[in-house]
Amino acid sequence: MPQRFTPRQMIDKLISFDTVSRHSNLKLIEFVEDYLAGWGVASRRVMNEDGTKANLFAVLGPAEKEGGIVLSGHTDVVPVDGQDWSSDPFTVTEKDGRLYGRGTSDMKSFIAIALAFVPEFLKHELTVPLYFALSYDEEVGCLGVRSMIDEIIRSLPRPDIVIVGEPSDMKVVNAHKSIHAFHTVVTGLEAHSSAMDKGVNAIVYAAELIGFLARIGEEMQAKGDASGRFDPPYTSMQIGTVNGGTAVNIIPRHCDFRWEFRALPDQDPEEIPARLAAFAEEKLLPRMRAVFPGASIETKARNFVPPLKPQEGAPGEALVLQLAERNETEAVSYGTEAGLFQMADIPTVICGPGSIQQAHKTDEFIELAQVAACERFFTRLAAHLAS
């Protein structure tokens, strides 16, 4: 007999796998493969280059048929390092109507409930395919899903809709910001701190660049969001890390910083890096190279997560609104894999249990009421697939 899990049991099981992004997710993938195989469902891996991680996709129902619905989720979670958890983060703890554990909200509960519903889906003679698409390394830049999307496009009929189960309180989200991450390296010239005129202080020039980016951030905040849908209602700027210098009595030769902006869907993605490059070239480098011709400022793009743009009136979106029993769509500021599916010309929305406010935090949790709401969603989905 194939193994059955209640949604709660499946949540317990998936949380027990330590799939922090720096670790392999293969034990979780092997478990899902075996579970699906027990129900007669074949699955396919799409591996990373060194074979330590895998995406997994599987099809229930008529795989050769056009259309269908993709249930998409990432298997990795963020680290717990430095967080003072009240309980073991990789063992689900139930308290006061909540399930605590790393990934309960972001986003293993969605995957777990979907997997627990496999027997219910298979009870019906599915008239359209239902896909499971599980990815790796979403938390470090939506890296893994890209190769899986390529594989889906090459080998399967195009789905009608992708449902990315990121925590949205079971609201239907059809828009989110894009993420643009960069690494800027400033190279100056070291010298004794008593001879300021003989050196080029990389930290000072990096500070000018950071200040310039902060001013752009203030401009974007003042410009606001014409759609009125996003919170915060503007393209946001963030400086994440700064490193530089050796000692207080040495003019620093090196400084680097990592930064990002999260752009409204209609924001020109080239504007901000182009303005920074022009500021460096016109205002800073002439002063730096007057002292040391070898001075440099280099900025490299590190990652890009595309926006999710509204596709109002799309049939797939209307279906998800119906399944979620919602009348309106929402917009969010966090990035997801949804924009990558949309870039591949597959209509995509976000709808999943839990709150993004709990994601990545100490004592991450999901409300049991959200688990129940997701169960009702999948009950209605099963009925739809059989109709």
Side-chain angles (χ1 to χ4, degrees), residues 318-371:
L319 170 63
V320 181
L321 282 166
Q322 178 185 341
L323 296 175
E325 295 188 329
R326 300 281 179 175
N327 295 320
E328 296 179 345
T329 55
E330 308 280 337
V332 295
S333 293
Y334 56 84
T336 76
E337 297 170 335
L340 290 160
F341 280 103
Q342 190 179 73
M343 278 186 67
D345 198 29
I346 307 174
T348 306
V349 295
I350 298 163
C351 185
S355 169
I356 196 65
Q357 300 304 318
Q358 302 309 320
H360 303 187
K361 290 185 176 181
T362 302
D363 291 341
E364 177 184 348
F365 67 82
I366 189 170
E367 300 277 357
L368 286 171
Q370 283 288 299
V371 174

Side-chain angles (χ1 to χ4, degrees), residues 77-98:
V77 296
V78 296
V80 298
D81 306 56
Q83 295 184 338
D84 186 17
W85 280 68
S86 302
S87 58
D88 179 359
F90 299 106
T91 301
V92 176
T93 300
E94 182 175 343
K95 183 180 179 181
D96 299 329
R98 297 170 174 175

Side-chain angles (χ1 to χ4, degrees), residues 29 32-33 68 81-82 139 205 241 275:
I29 293 297
V32 175
E33 285 175 325
D81 306 56
E139 295 290 6
Y205 284 101
T241 66
R275 288 178 64 183

Side-chain angles (χ1 to χ4, degrees), residues 172-185:
V172 180
V173 172
N174 71 352
H176 68 58
K177 295 179 179 180
S178 57
I179 304 173
H180 307 259
F182 300 86
H183 183 204
T184 296
V185 177

Side-chain angles (χ1 to χ4, degrees), residues 150-287:
D150 291 342
E151 185 68 18
I152 289 172
I153 291 171
R154 281 195 301 266
S155 60
L156 296 173
R158 193 169 298 270
D160 282 335
I161 186 73
V162 175
I163 303 170
V164 176
E166 290 279 3
S168 68
D169 295 305
M170 293 307 296
K171 297 174 183 177
V172 180
V173 172
N174 71 352
H176 68 58
K177 295 179 179 180
S178 57
I179 304 173
H180 307 259
F182 300 86
H183 183 204
T184 296
V185 177
V186 181
T187 302
L189 179 66
E190 63 269 71
H192 193 282
S193 61
S194 65
M196 292 294 295
D197 59 323
K198 302 297 191 296
V200 177
N201 191 315
I203 291 178
V204 168
Y205 284 101
E208 291 199 46
L209 292 165
I210 291 169
F212 183 76
L213 288 172
R215 293 192 292 276
I216 292 178
E218 292 169 356
E219 288 180 26
M220 295 297 162
Q221 187 170 348
K223 182 180 178 182
D225 166 30
S227 75
R229 300 188 72 198
F230 290 90
D231 181 20
Y234 48 83
T235 292
S236 60
M237 179 69 65
Q238 155 73 358
I239 311 299
T241 66
V242 182
N243 297 285
T246 305
V248 72
N249 59 352
I250 301 174
I251 294 171
R253 176 180 182 273
H254 172 271
C255 186
D256 72 279
F257 60 95
R258 295 177 186 268
W259 56 283
E260 69 168 25
F261 63 93
R262 299 197 173 216
L264 297 170
D266 61 354
Q267 168 76 34
D268 177 4
E270 303 300 326
E271 176 190 349
I272 293 173
R275 288 178 64 183
L276 183 72
F279 176 73
E281 190 69 32
E282 297 168 10
K283 302 295 185 180
L284 303 187
L285 284 171
R287 289 156 46 198

